[in-house]
Amino acid sequence: MGRKYVLGIESTAHTFATAIVDDELNILSDVRDVVKPGETLGIDPKLTAEHHANVAPQVLKKALDDAGMDIIDIDAVAYSMGPGLGPALRIGATVARAIAYKFKKPLYPVHHGIGHIELTSSLLGFKDPLVVIVSGGHTSILSFSLGRWRTYGETLDITLGNLMDMFARKIGIPFPGGPKIEEIARKGRKYIEMPYGIKGNNMVYSGLLTYATQLIGKEPVENIAYSLQETAFTVLVEATERALTQVSKKEIGLTGGVASNDRLYNMMCDMASEHGVKVGRLEKKYNSDNGVQIAVVGILYMKSGYAPVPVEEAVIKQRIRVEEVEVPWR
Ligand code: ATP
């Protein structure tokens, strides 16, 4: 039996990406094109979809060229079905359906969050981790149980990525603001007490955003950014610690764009080491949205013998929760 290959297509938000991964999880290609939002626009769903539709042909062609393959050499197609922006998701799903229909390839819709989880677990070699996804679309603490990923804590309002990006925009930094806020926060010297939102294992961040925004012009921005980060991350780390005591895992996989933040990673490591738990994260490029994470889940579906979805049933689900998805490979 020869090697099998899956094409992964990602289009939930700002990134249109394609990647080809084989059944040993070797990454043959990984091509991305990220929309550059206007300074005040944030992410506009219609403009994002337009961007994705424009770049899709060349992103797909480059993924095939980089892998030295033709579309007919692909064994299956996997695409992000959600959660995400409807118009953007529709572009990825349409490209995937067209390829599956024309070339008679099996088709696997993939939950985007499960893409983050499985890529992180497989590259880190974590078998049964507690997963913390921190991005623009998610702030969730997840653990696998009874055939599905289950939420053990999540934001009750805005995500950690949104908090960073929205505060950044208030001080004139365009999307994505997180990396720049991290840089500014490093220069902060004074901690200003801010609203600390935790309810059980859940996070609440909008009060913190309002408070930090009201301080602009009254306190040095470095101190505001520093205090915002310290407060938001402490809330997340405390919620993670609470979840950890409930599920008693030995590994924490930190993933999503905000996982690239060194301060957050170090705080999570400090907490985990007190419990004898290991924390892992991937190199930066795999924390952000990419096609590899979708292709990896496609491979897992294929290897587990899970039935692919007929083209006419391959839909998008803008608000799908992780619990709604059966995970046959674990
Ligand atoms: P999802 O993956 O859930 O669909 P998304 O598309 O917004 O959400 P990602 O690309 O995973 O996700 O993450 C982007 C987010 O990560 C942005 O909010 C960005 O500001 C944030 N981010 C990236 N790097 C850093 C950093 N170093 N510190 C803080 N935040 C960061």
Side-chain angles (χ1 to χ4, degrees), residues 120-179:
T120 305
S121 305
S122 58
L123 294 187
L124 293 174
F126 283 4
K127 295 277 177 268
D128 184 25
L130 185 72
V131 175
V132 181
I133 310 184
V134 279
S135 62
H138 291 83
T139 297
S140 312
I141 304 164
L142 303 153
S143 173
F144 191 76
S145 146
L146 302 173
R148 288 168 197 242
W149 285 97
R150 314 268 170 186
T151 306
Y152 278 81
E154 63 190 328
T155 177
L156 299 180
D157 47 26
I158 56 172
T159 64
L160 195 47
N162 287 159
L163 172 69
M164 296 291 165
D165 296 335
M166 287 159 102
F167 177 73
R169 209 180 310 159
K170 303 273 186 204
I171 56 170
I173 297 166
F175 178 89

Side-chain angles (χ1 to χ4, degrees), residues 5-292:
Y5 303 92
V6 169
L7 168 70
I9 302 175
E10 159 59 32
S11 74
T12 50
H14 42 70
T15 302
F16 186 87
T18 57
I20 297 169
V21 173
D22 74 16
D23 50 6
E24 297 277 311
L25 301 186
N26 296 305
I27 300 163
L28 280 76
S29 61
D30 174 8
V31 184
R32 309 154 187 217
D33 199 309
V34 183
V35 69
K36 290 176 191 59
E39 303 237 330
T40 53
L41 278 179
I43 296 191
D44 178 287
K46 269 170 88 180
L47 294 180
T48 303
E50 224 168 84
H51 163 268
H52 292 357
N54 288 336
V55 302
Q58 60 262 31
V59 171
L60 176 60
K61 182 175 183 308
K62 184 157 174 22
L64 291 165
D65 289 350
D66 288 357
M69 298 175 85
D70 193 272
I71 193 80
I72 51 166
D73 304 325
I74 298 296
D75 294 283
V77 183
Y79 71 96
S80 266
M81 68 166 151
L85 305 171
L89 285 168
R90 238 165 252 128
I91 303 299
T94 303
V95 173
R97 283 193 296 254
I99 296 169
Y101 178 75
K102 169 82 180 154
F103 299 100
K104 300 189 172 42
K105 303 292 178 186
L107 187 57
Y108 298 105
V110 171
H111 184 287
H112 177 81
I114 294 181
H116 277 299
I117 295 172
E118 295 297 350
L119 178 66
T120 305
S121 305
S122 58
L123 294 187
L124 293 174
F126 283 4
K127 295 277 177 268
D128 184 25
L130 185 72
V131 175
V132 181
I133 310 184
V134 279
S135 62
H138 291 83
T139 297
S140 312
I141 304 164
L142 303 153
S143 173
F144 191 76
S145 146
L146 302 173
R148 288 168 197 242
W149 285 97
R150 314 268 170 186
T151 306
Y152 278 81
E154 63 190 328
T155 177
L156 299 180
D157 47 26
I158 56 172
T159 64
L160 195 47
N162 287 159
L163 172 69
M164 296 291 165
D165 296 335
M166 287 159 102
F167 177 73
R169 209 180 310 159
K170 303 273 186 204
I171 56 170
I173 297 166
F175 178 89
K180 194 79 191 161
I181 296 296
E182 177 175 20
E183 221 179 289
I184 297 171
R186 267 196 214 113
K187 298 185 200 121
R189 292 293 169 263
K190 180 180 135 197
Y191 178 73
I192 306 160
E193 199 154 326
M194 292 192 175
Y196 188 85
I198 189 159
K199 287 185 196 269
N201 299 353
N202 299 314
M203 290 67 75
V204 182
Y205 285 135
S206 53
L208 177 56
L209 174 65
T210 307
Y211 194 86
T213 304
Q214 284 167 350
L215 287 177
I216 298 169
K218 296 181 191 147
E219 291 278 352
V221 73
E222 293 80 6
N223 291 343
I224 309 176
Y226 166 70
S227 308
L228 177 78
Q229 272 202 179
E230 292 300 300
T231 310
F233 295 168
T234 307
V235 168
L236 177 72
V237 171
E238 182 176 344
T240 308
E241 186 171 28
R242 291 181 185 189
L244 195 61
T245 57
Q246 290 163 350
V247 294
S248 54
K249 303 288 179 189
K250 286 287 149 221
E251 293 153 340
I252 296 175
L254 189 59
T255 185
V258 189
S260 297
N261 188 296
D262 290 333
R263 179 63 184 142
L264 173 60
Y265 176 70
N266 291 331
M267 285 169 78
M268 196 62 85
C269 289
D270 288 347
M271 178 278 287
S273 71
E274 286 175 23
H275 299 276
V277 170
K278 195 170 150 191
V279 181
R281 65 172 173 177
L282 300 178
E283 57 178 300
K284 274 188 187 164
K285 67 174 179 175
Y286 292 126
N287 288 330
S288 292
D289 294 352
N290 61 81
V292 177

